[in-house]
Amino acid sequence: MDDPYHNNVNQQMTEGGEYTYTQDGGGQHGYPYQTDYPHQQDEDAASDATEGADEDDQMYEGEYQGIPHPDEIKEARRAARLEAKRKARLATQQQEEEEEESLPEQYETIMEDCGHGRFQWMLFFVLGLALMADGVDGFVVGFVLPSAEKDMCISNADKGLLGLLVYVSMMVGALVWGGLCDKMGRRKCLIYVLTIDLVFSFLSCFAQGYGFFLFLRFCSGFGIGGSIPIVYTYFTEFLQMDKRGEHLSWLCMFWMLGGLYASFTAWGIIPHYGWGFAIGTQFQIHSWRLFMFVCLFPALAALIGVVFMPESPRFLLENARHDEAWMILRQVHDTNWKAKGEPERVFTVTNIKTPQTQEDEFIEIQSDTGTAFQRWTVRKMTMLQQVMANVMSLSAPELRLQGLFLVIVWFCMAFSYHGLGVWFPDMIKYMQYEEYESKVRVFHRERVERFHFNFSLVNQVHREGEYIHDKFANIEIKSVKFEDSLFENCYFEDIRSTNTFFENCTIKDTVFYNTDLWQEKFKNCRMENTTFLHPKKGCHLNFQEENDIVIYLVSFLGSLAVLPGNIISALFMDKIGRIRIIGGSMLASSACTFLLLLSFSQGAVICWQCLFYAVSVAAWNGLEVISVELYPSSKRGTAFGILNGICKFAAIVASFIFAAFIGITKIIPIFLAFAALVCGGLVALKLPETREKILS
């Protein structure tokens, strides 16, 4: 039997899970059910009171009509709200996971739509200049050291300290700036890096004291040391997958250009004493300082160029800065297609999915409280914590094994490359020294009386000689040693000396006027009535040494030799893969090290050096490409900075080990280089291939 009340009542569910009951009859719509029948409720209440029935046994009268109890309505509303919230959370989480998974694919599609053209080439040359600045800095210290050690009287121990601190500063810079560029941005960190290098390198051109010069070069190295991780990370994120290997390899050529630039300018400037000036007697600017000033030009040009370049859109997307990334990608798209003669092409991307980022709640809480310094401190400390967390995340299981393999390959490659890089020039210097020593002239028990020495004395040893009433005027004494000799009533005037000493000599009634012969030049000598007038203080330069020019030539040829290897690796990086390039290059380089056993002349050393550099450069290019492709965008700079820091550490270790065997044996350095290259080459074959990998 049909229920008249039941047929005229409609049950509706509103948003949030609430129920509303309305009556269809009588033209009434939207009124609550309880207010439609107030008399029914009153009658029910009176009936219950008169009959005295138990409340637990009462039956809600609406059950006969199919109408739920008010308590059931409340429970239903509550359950509906909880279910709606649960579904909303699940939908949000699913959407975030889909966005995180699809961002790399969507970004790759966008870069393919933008194409490869004018914008990438402009960025290529700007970042290439930054890489060139790093290459120049790697050669500066080695080129200026022969002149600087004499100009500032640097001892052998202090000379080694300079080279050590420069590499240490570059190692620290790579670690610090690599981590910061993942949090502050690629472009901003690169501007900081180049600015620090420019300021402190410029100041080091005028530093007169060795301690101050050392400090300034350390700060400069800290700046430029971060350029390599930032440059490769920055450029990678503007390249589509099928262009990455080739164009990152072309970018490596700028490091070679830095070596060529430094070698050529050093040869053209340093040997020329006239290219300098002096302000008084204490402030002197010699040609080697002018060379350091000229070496600032690549960094200055790079800094100016980077200022006009945009931030990496991939970095902006990773940090939920969607609108900025969209504008930059449209700029890349329009620049490329206008240059290709298709300005009508429109950037069709309207929405780019961004991953969910962890908001810095503590900064938000403190943003309106405390002083400006307190807020700045909170932000910087939080950023430091984020960088350290990023470093620790590299030890995650999915990154641990490939990270260990990369560390081994980087260390082995850097150990052999930089170790032999120290061994080649030092071996040439040692051969030159041996050749020079073989031509020394020895004078034994000569007696010279009332003679005027108006010609230079070079590469001589005088033993048990006697010099009576002799005059040494306006001459150069180079690599001369007087042993157990007598000087009586002699006169020395305007003497310039290099590597000249008096040992166990007796000097009587002798005058030294305007000479650079001071106490350190006289070892265990007996002075009787000897006078020093207007001595030349400090050390003095000799710009006519032929050895320096040979070293410039060696560095120039070594830098030029990598050109064929760069070209080959760039052309085949995307064709045969990164792993084969790295492993094949390292194993071929290990075979080249055995040819060094045949290095019996300076020409042979230079020849094998050029061959080794030409073969090994392909491994460097492959390592730099695979290092930026293996790691996700949020950790890419941090990981590359750590790997580059390990490279600098290996260079420090190798320089000490390889230099220790110069003049002793060639076998141990060659064996160490061979073992490191074979080990690294075999481990490299275990790395995953990234040729067709989308940037994660």
Side-chain angles (χ1 to χ4, degrees):
M1 179 176 181
D2 295 336
D3 189 346
Y5 292 101
H6 183 68
N7 291 337
N8 293 331
V9 176
N10 294 329
Q11 179 178 345
Q12 298 179 355
M13 180 177 180
T14 64
E15 295 182 1
E18 298 181 357
Y19 291 90
T20 301
Y21 300 89
T22 59
Q23 182 180 8
D24 292 341
Q28 302 293 327
H29 296 282
Y31 292 92
Y33 173 83
Q34 288 85 349
T35 59
D36 289 343
Y37 302 95
H39 60 278
Q40 183 69 32
Q41 294 179 2
D42 295 337
E43 291 176 0
D44 292 341
S47 175
D48 292 340
T50 56
E51 294 179 5
D54 189 357
E55 292 183 358
D56 295 336
D57 296 334
Q58 292 179 10
M59 180 176 293
Y60 175 54
E61 189 172 345
E63 289 186 12
Y64 294 107
Q65 303 169 359
I67 301 173
H69 192 278
D71 292 338
E72 295 178 359
I73 295 175
K74 293 180 181 179
E75 290 296 330
R77 289 175 180 174
R78 185 179 299 108
R81 283 195 297 268
L82 293 175
E83 181 67 16
K85 291 179 180 179
R86 187 184 68 82
K87 291 182 178 180
R89 283 197 301 268
L90 290 176
T92 302
Q93 292 176 0
Q94 183 178 2
Q95 182 180 2
E96 291 175 357
E97 292 175 358
E98 291 176 356
E99 289 177 351
E100 289 181 359
E101 292 176 358
S102 61
L103 173 61
E105 289 81 4
Q106 186 186 19
Y107 189 81
E108 180 65 29
T109 303
I110 294 173
M111 293 310 302
E112 291 176 356
D113 183 57
C114 292
H116 188 92
R118 174 178 292 178
F119 182 89
Q120 279 84 1
W121 285 113
M122 290 190 302
L123 185 64
F124 173 81
F125 284 107
V126 170
L127 297 182
L129 288 171
L131 198 59
M132 182 177 174
D134 180 86
V136 170
D137 265 36
F139 288 91
V140 164
V141 173
F143 287 156
V144 304
L145 203 53
S147 300
E149 64 178 322
K150 299 170 186 175
D151 194 12
M152 294 188 289
C153 299
I154 303 175
S155 65
N156 289 332
D158 291 338
K159 181 172 62 175
L161 182 63
L162 175 61
L164 172 64
L165 285 183
V166 169
Y167 267 105
V168 169
S169 64
M170 296 178 76
M171 177 182 70
V172 175
L175 296 172
V176 172
W177 293 111
L180 289 178
C181 78
D182 281 335
K183 296 301 178 184
M184 296 173 59
R186 291 41 165 139
R187 174 181 174 272
K188 181 185 291 186
C189 283
L190 188 56
I191 290 175
Y192 289 160
V193 159
L194 294 172
T195 302
I196 292 173
D197 176 55
L198 277 171
V199 170
F200 288 101
S201 294
F202 177 77
L203 294 176
S204 69
C205 297
F206 305 96
Q208 298 295 306
Y210 179 65
F212 193 41
F213 178 78
L214 199 66
F215 170 75
L216 294 174
R217 293 310 303 181
F218 180 89
C219 295
S220 170
F222 172 76
I224 200 63
S227 62
I228 291 182
I230 300 174
V231 163
Y232 283 101
T233 301
Y234 193 5
F235 192 49
T236 298
E237 294 171 348
F238 281 96
L239 297 174
Q240 59 199 66
M241 182 175 61
D242 59 343
K243 300 289 185 180
R244 281 201 308 264
E246 177 183 353
H247 289 272
L248 286 174
S249 298
W250 290 127
L251 186 66
C252 297
M253 292 183 63
F254 279 92
W255 205 91
M256 172 203 72
L257 294 178
L260 294 176
Y261 177 83
S263 304
F264 184 77
T265 53
W267 174 77
I269 295 177
I270 293 180
H272 299 279
Y273 178 79
W275 291 22
F277 59 91
I279 302 176
T281 58
Q282 299 298 324
F283 195 79
Q284 298 182 357
I285 304 298
H286 292 129
S287 57
W288 66 271
R289 298 181 185 272
L290 293 179
F291 162 71
M292 292 178 61
F293 179 78
V294 172
C295 287
L296 300 177
F297 293 165
L300 179 61
L303 178 60
I304 295 173
V306 172
V307 170
F308 295 97
M309 290 291 109
E311 180 57 86
S312 164
R314 186 59 183 271
F315 167 79
L316 296 175
L317 291 173
E318 293 290 339
N319 288 270
R321 294 160 64 178
H322 173 276
D323 294 341
E324 296 176 67
W326 185 88
M327 293 293 292
I328 294 171
L329 289 171
R330 189 181 71 171
Q331 176 189 351
V332 175
H333 177 276
D334 294 346
T335 301
N336 288 340
W337 289 110
K338 286 180 181 178
K340 295 177 180 179
E342 300 183 37
E344 68 280 0
R345 294 193 59 160
V346 180
F347 186 58
T348 57
V349 177
T350 57
N351 182 43
I352 306 175
K353 299 176 181 179
T354 57
Q356 184 72 17
T357 58
Q358 182 179 3
E359 295 296 329
D360 190 354
E361 299 178 358
F362 189 61
I363 289 181
E364 295 298 328
I365 294 173
Q366 296 291 330
S367 60
D368 297 325
T369 61
T371 63
F373 177 76
Q374 289 174 336
R375 293 195 296 271
W376 180 86
T377 303
V378 168
R379 290 185 175 91
K380 298 308 175 185
M381 291 302 297
T382 305
M383 180 182 296
L384 179 61
Q385 294 173 0
Q386 292 172 346
V387 171
M388 295 305 299
N390 224 12
V391 173
M392 298 304 296
S393 67
L394 294 177
S395 61
E398 64 272 14
L399 300 175
R400 188 181 304 157
L401 186 60
Q402 67 186 28
L404 178 61
F405 286 162
L406 266 181
V407 167
I408 294 174
V409 177
W410 270 86
F411 184 89
C412 292
M413 186 65 204
F415 180 83
S416 58
Y417 185 89
H418 290 287
L420 291 177
V422 171
W423 187 82
F424 286 130
D426 283 357
M427 194 66 187
I428 292 174
K429 290 181 179 179
Y430 179 74
M431 289 181 174
Q432 291 174 339
Y433 175 76
E434 283 190 325
E435 182 180 357
Y436 191 75
E437 285 289 309
S438 66
K439 298 178 180 179
V440 65
R441 299 177 61 188
V442 180
F443 298 87
H444 188 67
R445 292 185 178 180
E446 64 175 350
R447 179 181 175 87
V448 182
E449 190 171 354
R450 300 185 184 278
F451 185 79
H452 183 193
F453 288 87
N454 57 1
F455 52 87
S456 296
L457 304 178
V458 180
N459 196 20
Q460 299 176 3
V461 176
H462 298 263
R463 296 192 178 100
E464 300 181 7
E466 294 182 4
Y467 304 91
I468 312 299
H469 293 285
D470 293 328
K471 182 178 182 180
F472 301 80
N474 195 26
I475 64 172
E476 179 182 3
I477 305 178
K478 178 182 177 182
S479 300
V480 176
K481 184 184 293 185
F482 295 95
E483 299 177 353
D484 302 308
S485 299
L486 171 66
F487 293 86
E488 187 173 353
N489 291 313
C490 293
Y491 183 76
F492 291 80
E493 181 180 1
D494 293 327
I495 302 297
R496 301 182 308 277
S497 66
T498 302
N499 195 27
T500 297
F501 300 97
F502 297 79
E503 295 184 0
N504 301 318
C505 295
T506 300
I507 304 174
K508 298 180 179 180
D509 303 319
T510 298
V511 176
F512 293 87
Y513 179 82
N514 194 29
T515 70
D516 60 2
L517 300 173
W518 64 91
Q519 293 182 356
E520 286 78 4
K521 300 285 187 177
F522 301 93
K523 300 179 180 180
N524 299 323
C525 293
R526 186 162 59 93
M527 303 284 188
E528 296 181 7
N529 195 24
T530 300
T531 305
F532 291 87
L533 300 175
H534 302 288
K536 297 178 181 179
K537 299 295 184 182
C539 306
H540 301 277
L541 295 174
N542 181 2
F543 292 92
Q544 305 303 321
E545 295 185 7
E546 297 179 354
N547 292 359
D548 291 343
I549 297 177
V550 173
I551 296 303
Y552 304 148
L553 178 63
V554 169
S555 299
F556 183 87
L557 293 177
S559 299
L560 188 62
V562 305
L563 180 60
N566 267 318
I567 295 175
I568 293 174
S569 64
L571 295 178
F572 290 95
M573 188 67 71
D574 289 321
K575 292 181 174 61
I576 66 176
R578 289 76 162 123
I579 303 306
R580 293 180 181 176
I581 289 284
I582 299 171
S585 175
M586 294 186 72
L587 294 176
S589 300
S590 66
C592 293
T593 57
F594 278 107
L595 297 176
L596 299 177
L597 294 173
L598 306 177
S599 303
F600 300 112
S601 65
Q602 299 178 37
V605 172
I606 296 174
C607 178
W608 304 136
Q609 173 196 14
C610 294
L611 178 63
F612 175 78
Y613 285 162
V615 175
S616 61
V617 69
W620 278 122
N621 294 355
L623 273 176
E624 285 152 353
V625 172
I626 198 174
S627 296
V628 294
E629 292 178 333
L630 272 179
Y631 290 94
S633 298
S634 60
K635 302 176 178 63
R636 186 168 294 124
T638 303
F640 203 110
I642 293 174
L643 293 172
N644 197 250
I646 291 172
C647 171
K648 297 298 187 294
F649 175 74
I652 294 171
V653 174
S655 62
F656 281 103
I657 294 177
F658 280 69
F661 292 100
I662 296 295
I664 300 175
T665 179
K666 293 187 294 185
I667 296 177
I668 294 180
I670 292 173
F671 175 77
L672 291 175
F674 170 80
L677 288 169
V678 170
C679 175
L682 294 177
V683 173
L685 298 177
K686 298 292 185 180
L687 290 171
E689 180 58 67
T690 58
R691 180 173 36 169
E692 299 179 355
K693 176 178 169 50
I694 295 177
L695 292 180
S696 58

